[in-house]
Amino acid sequence: VGKEAVSDYQPEGWIAKAQDSGVDPADYILYRVGADAYDADGSGGLSIGERAQAMEQAGFTQEEQTLLWLMEYPDWAEAADKAGVSDSVYVAYKTATYGLTADKDAEGNSISGSKKTKVLAAIDALDIPAEEKDKLYFAAGYGASSLNEAPWR
């Protein structure tokens, strides 16, 4: 943990980042210091899954978590706007679909449509109206021709 654990040490960059994003700087510092414990693979960086776990364990509200996600992935705000959904809905979509991959057959080849099935199931599980799910469907890169196959339809 190093000098970040010393109570009077306040990294200027972290404080500015937190203040610019509307997150309490003290809470953000505690999150950043503790987040390293979630680096399961020892890569020195957190995956989206590890970051989600760290945020939940830190006790941040959903609103605070959305702000933190947008601090870490600022392009998500623009993507949410482009998709026509709120930042919180887009963050929920991105964290729900993180790491989804296609299933593989016996030869190791991707099974056609298996990743899409998982993505649609993740979107469907979100507690949002069907019209928002449609927007996320398009944001995921799927076309209108197969929209009626979505489980919320």
Side-chain angles (χ1 to χ4, degrees), residues 63-110:
E63 183 178 336
E64 290 169 325
Q65 287 183 39
T66 296
L67 293 172
L68 287 170
W69 283 114
L70 297 178
M71 286 171 60
E72 301 296 335
Y73 299 94
D75 58 317
W76 286 9
E78 184 179 331
D81 192 44
K82 184 177 178 184
V85 296
S86 69
D87 291 341
S88 61
V89 166
Y90 194 79
V91 165
Y93 154 71
K94 290 299 282 187
T95 57
T97 59
Y98 163 75
L100 296 180
T101 60
D103 294 330
K104 306 288 184 185
D105 63 19
E107 288 83 45
N109 300 313
S110 295

Side-chain angles (χ1 to χ4, degrees), residues 50 57 95:
E50 291 167 340
Q57 291 298 313
T95 57

Side-chain angles (χ1 to χ4, degrees), residues 109-125:
N109 300 313
S110 295
I111 298 173
S112 180
S114 60
K115 180 179 177 183
K116 180 178 180 179
T117 299
K118 294 174 185 180
V119 170
L120 296 184
I123 292 171
D124 190 38

Side-chain angles (χ1 to χ4, degrees), residues 32-45:
R32 286 294 304 261
V33 170
D36 288 342
Y38 293 92
D39 183 12
D41 61 4
S43 66

